[in-house]
Amino acid sequence: MDRLIIRGGVPLRGKVEAGGAKNAALPALVASLLTEESIRLHRVPQLGDVKTIIGLLDHLGVSVERGDRDTLSLRADGIGQCEAPYHLVKTMRASVLVLGPLAARFGRARVSLPGGCAIGPRPINLHLAALEKMGATISLDGGYVEAKAPRLRGARITFDGQTVTGTENVMMAATLADGVTVLENAACEPEVADLAALLNRMGARIEGAGTPTISIEGVQHLHGAEHEVIPDRVETGTFMVAAAMTGGDVTINRCLPGHLEAITEKLRETGVFVEETDSSIRVWGDGQVQGVNIRTHPYPGFATDMQAQFMALLSIAQGSSVITETVFENRFMHVNELLRMGADIKVIGTTAFVHGVPMLSGAPVMATDLRASASLVLAGLAAKGTTTVSRVYHLDRGYESIERKLQSLGAGIERVTE
C-alpha cells in the first residue's frame, strides 16, 4: 500500500497545470452508452475513479481505446448486457450513472446500489423517482436496482433536493425519451453544463444546463462526437490553498477561474493575493492568513469538495473560524487526523469551530476519503517536520500524480510503496 512522505515548511513556487475534471469525465465516459457511434474525449485524467468507470463500461461491452496520454475513444456498438455488478460498482458512487442511459437506449438496466466515500448517506431515490415519472418500472432486488421501460417519455420533474448525479442521470435518459423533459431544481454545477455540451454535440436538444431549469427535447438517436473535458476546479482550488498555506507563489494554468469564484473570494478574505486571467490563477502570500467563516452550498456556493482543504488552511490562521457543512453528513472525518498534527478544532453536529495555531507538526496520519486525504497533504506541506499520509488510494481517486505536480513546485514529497 502506498504512502506519501512529506517534509513540510517549504514555500511552493512555480507553475502547474490543472488536469481534466474527474466529475466531468465520469459522466462524459458514460454518455458513450447512448449511441453506437464513436465518442472521442480529450483531457481525460488518469485517476482511480476513471479506471473504475472504464472497467464497468468494458464489462457492459463498450470498446475503449486510448490515444495519446489523455485521449480516449469509446464505442458502444456491442453492448452484451445491461447489468452493472456489485464488484464493479461498490467502490464508486458515480457508477449509478449508467442506469439512465441503459434504460433509455435498451429499455432495461440492472445496477447494483453504489458505494463510494463514506461521507454520509447519498441515496439515489431522486434518480429513481424521476425515472418512474418518465415511465420506467423500478424495483429493488438483492441490492440491485432494476429499471424497465420499453420507451421512456418526457415529464416535468422537480427534484426534492439538488443532486448532481441525479441531474446528469436523468438528463442523459431524457435525450432518448419521447417528448420534452423539464428538470426543476436541477444541479447548476459546471460539470452538468459540460455534460450537456457533449450531449448536444451528439445531437441532443438540451437548453438551460447550468441553471436550475433544464429542458431536454428527446430525439430518436444520438451520434458520435468529440469533446474536451473541462478543467478540474477542485484540483485547481487545492493548489490555490497549497500556495496560501505555505506562503508561496503558484500559478495554476489551463483552469477556468470563473468556476472558482466562491473559493477565490474566501481566499482573498484570508489576506491571500489572487490574480486571474481567462485561463490561469496566481496565488501568493506570506503564509499569514486570517480566519474566515465558511458554509458549504451547492454550486455556485462554496463547494463541499473544498471544505476539508480550507479547514487545513484555517487551522493555521490567525483567530477563529467557523465551518458549517450543509451538503453531506460525516464530512469532518479528517478532523481527528488534523488534531494529531496539533490543530485546535471542535465539532458540534455539522459545524466545526477552528481556532488557529501558529504551526502544525508533522505526524503519521490516515486518509479517510478523497478530499480528506487532500487536506492532510496540505497540512503536511505547511507543518514542521515530517508527515506520513497512509491510505492514499483515496487521493488517487481524484488527483493525478499529485506528488509529481507538488514536486515541480518545490515540495518535499515522495510516494513510497510498501
Side-chain angles (χ1 to χ4, degrees):
M1 188 177 297
D2 288 1
R3 296 177 297 157
L4 290 178
I5 311 297
I6 306 168
R7 295 166 184 85
V10 179
L12 302 186
R13 301 188 186 282
K15 298 178 181 179
V16 68
E17 188 173 290
K22 173 182 82 84
N23 291 336
L26 298 179
L29 291 164
V30 171
S32 64
L33 291 169
L34 291 166
T35 178
E36 62 181 14
E37 297 183 24
S38 293
I39 300 297
R40 187 172 175 84
L41 299 176
H42 301 283
R43 212 174 179 186
V44 179
Q46 297 187 39
L47 302 170
D49 279 6
V50 170
K51 182 179 179 180
T52 297
I53 208 76
I54 289 174
L56 175 56
L57 293 175
D58 177 72
H59 171 82
L60 293 171
V62 180
S63 64
V64 183
E65 296 182 3
R66 184 170 293 279
D68 57 27
R69 186 176 181 277
D70 63 356
T71 297
L72 291 175
S73 295
L74 303 96
R75 192 177 184 96
D77 58 352
I79 300 297
Q81 57 184 311
C82 292
E83 179 173 316
Y86 174 72
H87 74 278
L88 291 175
V89 172
K90 63 181 180 180
T91 61
M92 188 180 66
R93 178 167 188 78
S95 302
V96 75
L97 285 169
V98 304
L99 182 66
L102 288 174
R105 183 177 167 200
F106 300 101
R108 67 190 190 281
R110 188 169 188 266
V111 180
S112 174
L113 292 172
C117 286
I119 57 174
R122 292 183 286 176
I124 64 168
N125 59 300
L126 299 180
H127 307 227
L128 305 184
L131 290 174
E132 281 186 319
K133 269 200 164 185
M134 297 173 71
T137 300
I138 304 292
S139 61
L140 298 175
D141 177 39
Y144 281 78
V145 175
E146 295 190 27
K148 295 181 181 179
R151 181 76 179 178
L152 293 175
R153 60 177 181 270
R156 179 172 289 274
I157 296 163
T158 301
F159 290 113
D160 289 339
Q162 284 197 349
T163 164
V164 176
T165 54
T167 299
E168 293 168 342
N169 216 341
V170 179
M171 187 168 68
M172 285 191 283
T175 61
L176 294 178
D178 288 333
V180 176
T181 299
V182 177
L183 307 182
E184 299 281 3
N185 197 28
C188 301
E189 274 70 5
E191 294 79 14
V192 173
D194 194 54
L195 174 61
L198 167 61
L199 294 172
N200 283 339
R201 289 190 177 99
M202 296 168 64
R205 298 171 181 170
I206 302 173
E207 296 181 353
T211 76
T213 302
I214 303 175
S215 176
I216 308 105
E217 181 182 350
V219 298
Q220 288 298 310
H221 70 277
L222 296 175
H223 53 71
E226 191 164 356
H227 180 71
E228 181 174 287
V229 174
I230 58 172
D232 195 310
R233 58 193 171 102
V234 179
E235 183 189 28
T236 302
T238 300
F239 281 111
M240 293 170 70
V241 174
M245 285 194 72
T246 63
D249 187 343
V250 174
T251 299
I252 304 101
N253 291 319
R254 290 193 73 187
C255 66
L256 288 175
H259 291 171
L260 290 121
E261 290 180 355
I263 306 303
T264 298
E265 179 182 346
K266 283 298 176 183
L267 271 180
R268 285 177 171 150
E269 280 187 37
T270 70
V272 174
F273 297 98
V274 182
E275 183 179 83
E276 302 171 349
T277 70
D278 289 342
S279 60
S280 71
I281 300 177
R282 179 189 172 200
V283 179
W284 73 98
D286 59 7
Q288 300 296 313
V289 297
Q290 302 296 319
V292 297
N293 296 335
I294 290 171
R295 176 180 289 268
T296 64
H297 285 290
Y299 188 86
F302 191 97
T304 182
D305 280 353
M306 284 299 301
Q307 176 257 110
Q309 297 92 312
F310 253 77
M311 184 179 289
L313 171 65
L314 297 176
S315 70
I316 58 171
Q318 295 178 7
S320 299
S321 305
V322 178
I323 300 176
T324 304
E325 174 60 58
T326 72
V327 180
F328 292 130
E329 300 175 19
N330 300 335
R331 203 154 203 187
F332 286 145
M333 290 189 291
H334 48 282
V335 169
N336 286 336
E337 302 304 298
L338 290 173
L339 293 178
R340 289 174 51 80
M341 301 179 69
D344 183 357
I345 305 168
K346 294 180 181 179
V347 175
I348 301 177
T350 58
T351 301
F353 299 89
V354 185
H355 303 283
V357 298
M359 181 174 291
L360 297 175
S361 300
V365 292
M366 181 176 65
T368 54
D369 61 66
L370 170 53
R371 304 308 173 188
S373 62
S375 75
L376 299 179
V377 171
L378 296 178
L381 292 172
K384 179 181 179 180
T386 300
T387 298
T388 302
V389 183
S390 60
R391 295 176 67 178
V392 295
Y393 56 83
H394 287 295
L395 192 72
D396 295 336
R397 288 184 50 214
Y399 294 90
E400 181 179 353
S401 302
I402 189 171
E403 71 277 8
R404 295 180 187 174
K405 291 186 177 182
L406 289 171
Q407 286 168 358
S408 73
L409 299 173
I413 182 172
E414 61 179 324
R415 181 179 291 256
V416 176
T417 302
E418 297 180 342

